[in-house]
Amino acid sequence: YQGFARRSTNEVLQLYSAHGQQQKLQRSSVVTQLRGSIKKRLKQDLKSLRSFALELSKDFQRQSKTYLYQVLTAVQEIQLQNEAMQMFQIKAFDLEQSLQEVTERYEKEKQKRRALHNSLVELRGNIRVHCRIRPLLPFDTAPGHSISQDRQRNFSEKVAYAVDDETVLVKCSRPGHASINKTFQFERVYNASESQDTVFADVAPLLTSLLDGYNVCIMAYGQTGSGKTYTMLGPQLEENFTFSLEDESELGIIPRAAQEVFRLISEKPPGSYWVEVSVVEVYNNEIFDLLAKDSCGKVFGVKRDVVTTREGKNDVPLLTHETVQNASEFLHLVNKGLQLRVRHPTLVHAHSSRSHLVVTLTITTIISEDNFGTSWEDEQTSQRLNKEVSCTFPQKMRDNKSTSSSRASSPAQLEATEKLKQVKTRLQLVDLAGSECVGMSGVTGAALRETSFINRSLSALADVLGAIAEQRSHVPYRNSKLTRLLQDSVGGDAKLLVMLCISPDQKYLTESMQSLGFGTRARQVQRGQVKKKNFPVPSKAK
Ligand code: ADP
Ligand code: MG
């Protein structure tokens, strides 16, 4: 048994080792096989990788060629564009130059046309009409300042524009209707940004005319709050309704006109001119003298009347005429008069003026008899004038109150000089009351009475212009004190400038259209050439 067991163990061991060897053999052949197949596989992969890389590089080359081509075309295009741009620049420069030339030519032509138009205006005795559109202001939006409830809006919308310096455009829109644009032409149109300086620059030539012997009248027309007082006087001081003299650039036509008149006088021979001022207010169809003084020398408004003299001229007897030596004396007087100006605040604008203000500057020119007799342009007028002019100097001049600093003659000099004649020219500066219609200002009682007087006087003014325009034989000057007071100026004895003032806001559309209509009618008036007062020809003046 033991032998058998040993033999079996040996056999098992042999078998076991044989099996191990066989397994070894098998494993090594598998490894060899595996290695071969891996090698083969790797070779294949490498090959495909190579061909892929090749393909990729070919593709890259192809693409870079396309891109290069594209870049080249773009560069070429840019070059072409640059050239075109240069061409355009040259063309633009040329165009700019020719535009400048055309603009210059246009400006020259415009000036020529304006000069011709002015001559035509002079010849026909037309009324010049300028129109000023004020800027939108905070009180345009303020609630409670609206004219009527149904038109009340909380926002401002500009509807009146200055298209150019001769045209106003108004956008008329009604709810549910397409808006209509209406245009109006005037001698000059000022937009909201145009300054007091610019406005006065256009007025100044009239003052030269004044010193050349023409009467001149400048009146501001427009609804309350449209800028009449601002244009005529300047911004008003809140506390006493006078105007501020501090900011010179804000001064209106009246103070500037006074400065200009005295400047022009200073260029004339000394002692040949003197200037008197009167300030009147037309309120409820009554004329008030704002410079009249009581026995204590205190200024108070006195009622005056207007009468027609035997020569057919209109005069206000007893009206106070104060002699002034310079512009600041004049302004002081006007400001004193303004403090008396009657007013009632309407809802349209808290400081509305409810009266017409007429400031008159009368310039008396002294002409020696020698000049007088010989140098009149026309003999007949000279003879008529000889009868017309009075040789008496105003009482004040005799009282010798004026100071010798003035270039105007002192009364002593005047009396000492024999054979002197005087010729008067008149500058009327008018700040009319608001042209808005009754019912729109929310006024009642006394204020309503005021408004109806204002409306009546302004419509009387419009009627007068209408009658002159239609050359009717009867002109209804007598329908109101305002038209009587302004009769000579409006009727053709003065170069007349109407300054229309317009509020640009939508809620004042009706009033603006009414004012523009008034201005258009005024422009159509032809009164025949305004007569020059009888001055000697300039060469003879010393
Ligand atoms: P009106 O005399 O027509 O009733 P105002 O001259 O009193 O009107 O003007 C009303 C307000 O508008 C004032 O406060 C005034 O200063 C202002 N105003 C008028 N016109 C202008 C303008 N062109 N530029 C600036 N403010 C203006
Ligand atoms: Mg006013």
Side-chain angles (χ1 to χ4, degrees):
Y1 174 72
Q2 270 182 345
F4 181 74
R6 212 178 292 142
R7 211 181 54 211
S8 297
T9 311
N10 281 344
E11 275 174 13
V12 169
L13 283 172
Q14 272 173 1
L15 271 175
Y16 190 75
S17 79
H19 177 73
Q21 271 178 353
Q22 205 177 359
Q23 265 190 337
K24 234 182 203 171
L25 271 174
Q26 268 178 352
R27 215 182 285 149
S28 75
S29 85
V30 166
V31 167
T32 331
Q33 252 180 17
L34 210 67
R35 213 181 267 163
S37 70
I38 288 173
K39 235 183 196 172
K40 205 171 153 194
R41 187 76 186 265
L42 272 174
K43 259 185 197 162
Q44 266 179 357
D45 280 359
L46 202 67
K47 205 175 159 191
S48 63
L49 197 72
R50 232 184 247 145
S51 72
F52 177 71
L54 204 70
E55 198 58 30
L56 202 71
S57 87
K58 269 187 196 160
D59 199 35
F60 176 74
Q61 272 181 356
R62 232 180 292 127
Q63 276 198 7
S64 63
K65 254 188 204 165
T66 328
Y67 287 139
L68 198 69
Y69 177 74
Q70 279 177 354
V71 168
L72 277 176
T73 356
V75 168
Q76 270 180 348
E77 244 170 52
I78 287 173
Q79 272 175 351
L80 280 175
Q81 275 177 0
N82 263 353
E83 276 166 29
M85 180 89 105
Q86 272 175 356
M87 288 279 286
F88 278 132
Q89 269 175 348
I90 293 171
K91 257 190 195 167
F93 183 72
D94 283 351
L95 278 175
E96 222 169 78
Q97 261 193 335
S98 55
L99 183 70
Q100 203 177 335
E101 276 166 29
V102 171
T103 315
E104 274 166 23
R105 257 211 332 254
Y106 169 70
E107 279 304 322
K108 267 189 203 152
E109 290 298 323
K110 202 163 94 172
Q111 270 169 13
K112 263 192 220 163
R113 193 181 60 77
R114 214 170 246 175
L116 284 174
H117 176 77
N118 270 344
S119 320
L120 194 68
V121 164
E122 299 261 315
L123 286 172
R124 287 178 176 164
N126 281 146
I127 294 168
R128 290 167 180 78
V129 181
H130 292 192
C131 175
R132 187 178 199 184
I133 303 171
R134 75 152 164 77
L136 279 176
L137 294 168
F139 67 79
D140 287 329
T141 39
H145 284 302
S146 158
I147 324 180
S148 73
Q149 286 301 317
D150 59 313
R151 290 197 296 162
Q152 188 163 334
R153 284 163 176 247
N154 293 330
F155 62 92
S156 302
E157 192 192 341
K158 198 171 161 171
V159 293
Y161 302 85
V163 182
D164 56 42
D165 59 4
E166 291 179 359
T167 317
V168 179
L169 173 90
V170 183
K171 287 184 183 163
C172 306
S173 60
R174 276 183 299 149
H177 290 78
S179 82
I180 309 164
N181 289 347
K182 290 199 174 161
T183 55
F184 299 85
Q185 298 276 327
F186 299 108
E187 266 69 41
R188 179 72 164 86
V189 173
Y190 306 98
N191 63 38
S193 63
E194 289 189 85
S195 65
Q196 299 279 64
D197 266 342
T198 313
V199 173
F200 184 70
D202 294 323
V203 171
L206 283 174
L207 302 173
T208 313
S209 283
L210 178 77
L211 273 273
D212 286 345
Y214 292 96
N215 288 334
V216 173
C217 176
I218 302 169
M219 65 167 86
Y221 183 101
Q223 69 163 126
T224 300
S226 61
K228 297 180 298 298
T229 307
Y230 178 83
T231 300
M232 291 309 283
L233 288 160
Q236 282 181 290
L237 296 175
E238 296 284 319
E239 63 273 21
N240 59 3
F241 305 116
T242 58
F243 59 100
S244 161
L245 298 173
E246 293 193 350
D247 187 356
E248 290 245 329
S249 68
E250 287 282 293
L251 289 182
I253 292 174
I254 295 180
R256 281 170 197 258
Q259 286 165 351
E260 178 67 1
V261 163
F262 281 102
R263 192 190 67 76
L264 289 169
I265 286 178
S266 73
E267 290 173 353
K268 301 279 177 184
S272 50
Y273 291 84
W274 86 81
V275 181
E276 288 165 300
V277 183
S278 70
V279 182
V280 305
E281 173 180 55
V282 185
Y283 176 69
N284 284 1
N285 208 29
E286 298 285 359
I287 293 173
F288 292 90
D289 183 348
L290 297 189
L291 294 186
K293 290 189 186 119
D294 63 12
S295 50
C296 312
K298 212 168 158 260
V299 178
F300 70 113
V302 180
K303 256 190 223 176
R304 303 277 186 219
D305 216 346
V306 55
V307 298
T308 308
T309 61
R310 263 186 291 161
E311 292 80 31
K313 300 270 169 206
N314 283 289
D315 191 23
V316 183
L318 305 173
L319 183 66
T320 314
H321 292 272
E322 292 262 4
T323 306
V324 284
Q325 315 288 339
N326 50 47
S328 57
E329 266 184 41
F330 164 83
L331 294 178
H332 178 69
L333 272 181
V334 172
N335 251 350
K336 243 177 20 185
L338 281 179
Q339 287 174 31
L340 290 180
R341 202 175 173 189
V342 185
R343 62 195 61 232
H344 180 284
T346 65
L347 297 180
V348 176
H349 180 227
H351 299 144
S352 75
S353 39
R354 311 300 298 153
S355 61
H356 312 290
L357 176 79
V358 184
V359 176
T360 310
L361 259 151
T362 312
I363 300 173
T364 309
T365 311
I366 315 292
I367 299 157
S368 80
E369 187 91 317
D370 302 343
N371 275 339
F372 198 85
T374 55
S375 55
W376 298 107
E377 287 159 42
D378 121 29
E379 196 57 33
Q380 275 191 337
T381 349
S382 151
Q383 281 168 7
R384 182 172 58 78
L385 190 83
N386 265 312
K387 280 186 223 143
E388 241 177 50
V389 281
S390 111
C391 260
T392 50
F393 299 120
Q395 189 62 39
K396 279 193 193 59
M397 297 306 283
R398 285 209 214 105
D399 294 345
N400 201 7
K401 275 185 196 150
S402 48
T403 58
S404 53
S405 66
S406 154
R407 294 189 70 96
S409 305
S410 77
Q413 271 176 306
L414 293 178
E415 286 202 323
T417 320
E418 282 178 20
K419 293 184 175 179
L420 287 184
K421 298 275 175 189
Q422 49 169 313
V423 179
K424 284 179 190 286
T425 50
R426 183 189 65 234
L427 170 64
Q428 266 179 331
L429 300 158
V430 189
D431 179 10
L432 292 171
S435 60
E436 58 277 0
C437 305
V438 179
M440 304 228 282
S441 308
V443 290
T444 50
L448 184 66
R449 201 170 109 87
E450 271 178 13
T451 314
S452 88
F453 272 121
I454 293 167
N455 288 344
R456 257 186 267 166
S457 57
L458 290 175
S459 51
L461 184 62
D463 291 345
V464 161
L465 292 177
I468 308 172
E470 287 169 21
Q471 304 193 327
R472 272 186 253 146
S473 56
H474 174 69
V475 181
Y477 291 111
R478 290 186 162 267
N479 284 357
S480 94
K481 291 267 169 67
L482 176 74
T483 43
R484 285 206 67 192
L485 191 66
L486 300 178
Q487 174 166 349
D488 299 338
S489 295
V490 175
D493 190 31
K495 294 191 180 187
L496 178 56
L497 168 70
V498 174
M499 187 66 75
L500 290 182
C501 294
I502 302 289
S503 312
D505 198 280
Q506 155 81 43
K507 65 182 164 202
Y508 305 122
L509 180 66
T510 316
E511 290 75 15
S512 299
M513 289 300 283
Q514 191 272 335
S515 294
L516 292 164
F518 177 88
T520 305
R521 245 173 294 132
R523 262 193 105 197
Q524 286 155 359
V525 173
Q526 294 180 16
R527 307 169 298 168
Q529 197 169 0
V530 174
K531 284 203 182 65
K532 189 173 171 171
K533 294 289 158 276
N534 299 280
F535 270 70
V537 288
S539 59
K540 301 267 179 170
K542 283 173 202 147

